[in-house]
Amino acid sequence: MKKILMSIITATLLVFSFSGVSSAASTYQVKSGDSLWKIATKYKITVSQLKNWNNLKSNTIRPKQVLKVKKTTTAKKASSTTKAIHKTINVKATAYTANCKGCSGITATGLNLKKNPTVKAIAVDPKVIPLGTKVHVEGYGQAVAADKGGAIKGHKIDVFIASKQKALNWGVKTVKVTVYK
């Protein structure tokens, strides 16, 4: 009887470990200097997912706070690298920099642009492109919707460019944005 029970348990574990569709809930304790962006990147999830799972109304987190995160299986991670297109839209794109007078360099999702000058981030209207969403911006490349701005309403975006001169050189363009699921 004991051998049969062990066989059933082993078989059950094998089915779950090879199915590739399960996810395990886990927790993460916030450390000093963490942001929602850093945590989401670490677990290969979006900021929106992290906020939803933890009922966060803002992007403010504090050290020692415990957040729910979901670790995905290897098979699920592999499928997320083949990005499914949600929609493609045309937007008016301008550029911004974190190196201006009075600019903190911290995005709405907590990403520090001054410490990460090579990151590809865009400011969006969250009603059009949710924060934390991965996108491809024509002429800019793969990016994440990490910020929102007062003048960013509707089909407008700002692309982050570290150099003030290069940001000015970007000008105003109409570009195609591919939004991934």
Side-chain angles (χ1 to χ4, degrees):
M1 183 68 164
K2 202 173 194 180
K3 285 183 180 181
I4 293 172
L5 184 57
M6 287 303 290
S7 295
I8 292 170
I9 291 170
T10 303
T12 303
L13 288 173
L14 285 172
V15 167
F16 283 113
S17 65
F18 288 112
S19 67
V21 294
S22 65
S23 65
S26 182
T27 59
Y28 176 82
Q29 187 171 20
V30 177
K31 297 175 188 73
S32 181
D34 274 344
S35 66
L36 291 176
W37 169 255
K38 283 183 184 177
I39 297 166
T41 302
K42 177 178 181 167
Y43 287 93
K44 298 186 184 328
I45 57 176
T46 66
V47 171
S48 296
Q49 287 173 315
L50 193 55
K51 288 177 74 172
N52 286 338
W53 296 334
N54 292 282
N55 297 316
L56 298 175
K57 303 297 181 216
S58 74
N59 295 312
T60 305
I61 55 176
R62 62 190 184 288
K64 297 186 180 177
Q65 181 177 358
V66 177
L67 299 175
K68 294 177 198 169
V69 294
K70 295 184 180 179
K71 295 179 182 178
T72 56
T73 63
T74 305
K76 191 157 179 138
K77 284 182 189 173
S79 69
S80 70
T81 59
T82 57
K83 297 176 182 141
I85 296 174
H86 174 64
K87 62 183 174 181
T88 301
I89 56 176
N90 289 320
V91 299
K92 183 176 167 183
T94 53
Y96 73 109
T97 181
N99 298 316
C100 59
K101 187 175 183 176
C103 293
S104 71
I106 308 296
T107 69
T109 59
L111 178 61
N112 187 330
L113 298 174
K114 290 182 179 182
K115 288 185 179 176
N116 299 287
T118 60
V119 73
K120 296 274 188 158
I122 63 172
V124 298
D125 179 342
K127 292 177 185 171
V128 178
I129 302 172
L131 289 173
T133 303
K134 291 183 170 106
V135 298
H136 181 271
V137 179
E138 179 181 32
Y140 183 67
Q142 301 293 331
V144 66
D147 208 0
K148 55 186 181 176
I152 308 300
K153 302 288 184 222
H155 286 79
K156 294 181 183 178
I157 65 168
D158 263 353
V159 297
F160 168 68
I161 299 176
S163 160
K164 185 176 180 180
Q165 188 56 53
K166 288 181 181 176
L168 290 170
N169 291 346
W170 174 275
V172 179
K173 307 176 184 193
T174 299
V175 297
K176 186 187 311 183
V177 175
T178 303
V179 180
Y180 299 110
K181 287 184 182 181

